[in-house]
Amino acid sequence: MSTSLHQQQDLRQQQRLKPMQVQFVKMLEMTGPEIEGEVSRALEDMPALEVVETPRSADDADTFNETSEQVQLADYGHDDEIPSYMLEARNRSVNDTYYTPVAVNDDLTLGEELLRQLNEMSLTPRQLSIANYIIGNLDSNGYLKRSPEAIADDITFSESVETDPAEVRQVLDIIRTLDPAGVGAADLRDCLLLQLNRRKPSVEVITAREILTHYFDLFSKKHFDRLADMLGIDNERLNDAIELISHLNPKPGNQLNDSAIEYTGRQIIPELQVDIDNDNTLTVSLLNNIPELAVSQSFSLDSSLADSLTPRERAETATFIRTRRDEAQAFIKTLQMRQSTLLNVMTAIASLQRDFFLTGDETQLKPMILKDVAALTGYDLSVISRATASKYVMAPSGIYPLKFFFNERPIANDDITSHQIMNALKGVIANENKRSPLSDDTIASMLSEQGFNIARRTVAKYRERLGIPVARLRKTIQSTQ
């Protein structure tokens, strides 16, 4: 078998991003708190990067430096009028340790709260070890989705504690008696029943327990007429029981903060602001706390190197200075590009949605897509998409995500926006008969009478976007008078 070598010419088109472009894309996707953290890390990691110190003005020369104690002492006209306790230094020796009170976050996680309650019980160390493992398997809602058999196997192999499913169930039953009520449930029905079992017996509680135990499927599908017939009760009694169930907590684990990180992640921090001047001029500004950065003077190319260094050491030092200087300059330039991009994109959005910012009326929103912003800014669609992702703007009428201002045209060659259709859709559903909710076809016909000629599938799309369930799940019962 003979072998041979041959050459083949292939033509390909590839796009390679420069390191600065990659860094710019990464920064553009960051939110305000994330970019502030990135700047702080850069100041620690890049020796050539520094914050530009703002020179003090003449007005700052007479800065108020008095302490709160000195301010209080100044309220007295003469030293003899000052109470003795105000002249004493905390009534302690100078060698004593003084702890200044600080504000701390004493919120417990779900696991910590459950373990705190367990430690107040008379449990053996073995039971506490099993309970700790069970609590570690609870999800964020407080549910236990794993079987006692699987947990027993894991404890045996990972914790080296010989146990069986019966012992795990015994400890699990203890956990299911803890607060918040419903924790440790296997599913939604089990969670609701755990909460009902703690209620004092009454007609509503007994009926609600019967519904969840034997007719949960009918209840979840809101077949109230069939449910009343199966239970042999009237609508008023059924309505009282369903009202009781609706006030139970389907996610007991959410009553406690899972962690401070998750709490911080849920905070909405606007990064942009739109102000209205007296002549109705819109002004866009950035709200992030990013200091002005510059390259340190010690990393300037003009800085002289020590004469005691050898030529090789001078060359290595010069290379080090040049590399660190270029690194800092690239970071500053990329950060400036990000800030200017956000400002330009937000300015374009404010220009296109001027009527909304002046009035705060959602019906004044105009159809706007990424191409409209690209036409004003000259940016690529991917740049605009990244610049508006997870960003918020503070307007006179409230705080809005930037994605809120984008509206497609549901109807070609028409200035009706999706927000207008959704507002009309909410109005129709709000005024419907809850005992006989409207179907999507009926809603489409009613919207057509209002001038919104849209199809049934468009109604379904916007209804789902608003979080409104289908007609069957919007059905309620009316008590008989």
Side-chain angles (χ1 to χ4, degrees):
M1 181 176 179
S2 61
T3 59
S4 62
L5 299 176
H6 66 280
Q7 290 182 341
Q8 182 178 357
Q9 191 174 16
D10 189 11
L11 180 62
R12 297 180 181 178
Q13 185 177 6
Q14 294 181 342
Q15 182 181 10
R16 295 183 178 180
L17 297 178
K18 297 180 179 179
M20 182 179 294
Q21 293 174 319
V22 176
Q23 189 179 31
F24 169 69
V25 171
K26 180 182 177 183
M27 282 189 178
L28 195 59
E29 292 176 342
M30 293 181 179
T31 61
E34 290 173 345
I35 194 64
E36 291 176 10
E38 183 69 15
V39 172
S40 299
R41 286 189 293 270
L43 289 171
E44 295 178 359
D45 298 339
M46 299 182 183
L49 191 66
E50 67 177 8
V51 177
V52 177
E53 297 293 341
T54 304
R56 294 182 59 185
S57 61
D59 297 336
D60 297 334
D62 298 328
T63 305
F64 183 79
N65 293 320
E66 290 188 354
T67 64
S68 59
E69 290 81 3
Q70 291 172 335
V71 172
Q72 294 179 9
L73 293 176
D75 292 337
Y76 297 92
H78 194 271
D79 292 344
D80 296 335
E81 299 176 1
I82 301 177
S84 59
Y85 69 89
M86 297 193 67
L87 300 176
E88 297 172 357
R90 303 192 183 112
N91 291 328
R92 292 179 174 84
S93 169
V94 293
N95 297 323
D96 291 345
T97 303
Y98 179 75
Y99 298 96
T100 304
V102 294
V104 297
N105 182 12
D106 56 356
D107 292 335
L108 298 178
T109 65
L110 176 62
E112 292 171 344
E113 172 60 23
L114 296 177
L115 290 176
R116 183 192 65 79
Q117 298 178 53
L118 289 173
N119 289 327
E120 295 177 355
M121 299 181 177
S122 299
L123 300 181
T124 64
R126 178 185 178 87
Q127 288 177 318
L128 286 175
S129 177
I130 297 175
N132 190 24
Y133 197 88
I134 294 175
I135 292 173
N137 282 271
L138 298 177
D139 62 15
S140 59
N141 297 325
Y143 290 1
L144 181 65
K145 298 298 182 64
R146 304 191 65 200
S147 64
E149 290 77 12
I151 294 178
D153 292 339
D154 288 349
I155 294 176
T156 302
F157 288 108
S158 62
E159 303 294 329
S160 300
V161 177
E162 288 288 342
T163 185
D164 54 31
E167 187 177 17
V168 173
R169 290 191 187 93
Q170 182 182 9
V171 178
L172 176 59
D173 290 339
I174 298 175
I175 295 177
R176 286 158 64 94
T177 63
L178 303 177
D179 292 327
V183 70
D187 50 32
L188 176 60
R189 178 169 63 174
D190 188 24
C191 176
L192 299 178
L193 283 172
L194 283 175
Q195 298 176 55
L196 282 177
N197 291 336
R198 300 194 186 187
R199 300 290 184 99
K200 293 182 179 180
S202 64
V203 176
E204 293 82 4
V205 172
I206 295 174
T207 305
R209 190 182 297 128
E210 182 74 10
I211 292 173
L212 296 178
T213 304
H214 301 291
Y215 306 105
F216 185 75
D217 291 338
L218 292 177
F219 166 74
S220 60
K221 296 177 181 179
K222 293 197 172 183
H223 294 326
F224 298 131
D225 294 335
R226 292 180 56 190
L227 192 57
D229 293 338
M230 297 294 292
L231 292 171
I233 58 177
D234 55 20
N235 286 341
E236 183 175 0
R237 180 176 170 184
L238 179 62
N239 186 52
D240 293 340
I242 293 177
E243 184 73 14
L244 173 61
I245 296 175
S246 65
H247 284 83
L248 300 177
N249 187 2
K251 299 178 180 180
N254 287 352
Q255 294 183 18
L256 302 174
N257 292 329
D258 292 336
S259 65
I261 297 178
E262 291 186 8
Y263 174 76
T264 304
R266 290 192 295 266
Q267 289 181 313
I268 295 178
I269 302 177
E271 190 173 357
L272 296 151
Q273 182 173 353
V274 175
D275 295 316
I276 303 176
D277 298 337
N278 295 331
D279 56 351
N280 287 339
T281 301
L282 300 182
T283 304
V284 180
S285 58
L286 287 168
L287 295 178
N288 48 35
N289 299 318
I290 297 179
E292 184 181 354
L293 304 178
V295 179
S296 176
Q297 291 295 330
S298 58
F299 283 82
S300 174
L301 287 180
D302 297 335
S303 58
S304 59
L305 302 178
D307 296 335
S308 59
L309 299 178
T310 64
R312 180 177 178 179
E313 291 175 340
R314 291 184 181 179
E316 292 177 351
T317 304
T319 301
F320 173 81
I321 292 176
R322 185 179 298 105
T323 302
R324 296 294 177 261
R325 182 208 61 193
D326 294 343
E327 181 185 41
Q329 288 179 341
F331 184 86
I332 295 173
K333 184 177 181 180
T334 306
L335 181 61
Q336 292 173 346
M337 289 172 56
R338 176 198 184 269
Q339 302 294 79
S340 63
T341 301
L342 288 182
L343 276 176
N344 293 336
V345 170
M346 189 63 239
T347 302
I349 294 175
S351 175
L352 293 170
Q353 303 292 0
R354 173 182 172 83
D355 294 339
F356 167 78
F357 283 103
L358 292 177
T359 62
D361 186 1
E362 292 187 13
T363 60
Q364 297 297 321
L365 286 170
K366 298 179 179 179
M368 185 186 76
I369 57 178
L370 294 176
K371 289 183 179 180
D372 298 326
V373 180
L376 292 180
T377 60
Y379 296 141
D380 188 80
L381 297 181
S382 62
V383 173
I384 300 174
S385 178
R386 288 185 172 91
T388 55
S390 303
K391 309 295 192 308
Y392 292 84
V393 59
M394 179 183 294
S397 56
I399 298 176
Y400 304 92
L402 297 193
K403 294 292 186 182
F404 168 80
F405 303 103
F406 291 91
N407 300 276
E408 72 274 13
R409 281 184 171 86
I411 306 172
N413 301 323
D414 199 335
D415 287 337
I416 296 176
T417 66
S418 58
H419 284 283
Q420 293 173 322
I421 297 178
M422 286 190 287
N423 286 334
L425 175 62
K426 288 190 293 185
V428 170
I429 294 179
N431 296 323
E432 69 181 357
N433 182 5
K434 300 305 179 183
R435 185 170 176 80
S436 180
L438 302 173
S439 64
D440 291 344
D441 285 321
T442 305
I443 295 175
S445 300
M446 297 178 67
L447 291 178
S448 178
E449 296 175 357
Q450 300 181 22
F452 303 104
N453 298 316
I454 58 176
R456 182 202 59 81
R457 61 180 179 272
T458 306
V459 172
K461 179 180 72 172
Y462 289 139
R463 177 179 51 74
E464 293 174 357
R465 186 180 298 181
L466 291 169
I468 300 176
V470 296
R472 173 175 55 81
L473 297 180
R474 299 199 304 271
K475 185 177 181 181
T476 60
I477 57 177
Q478 295 178 351
S479 47
T480 56
Q481 299 295 336

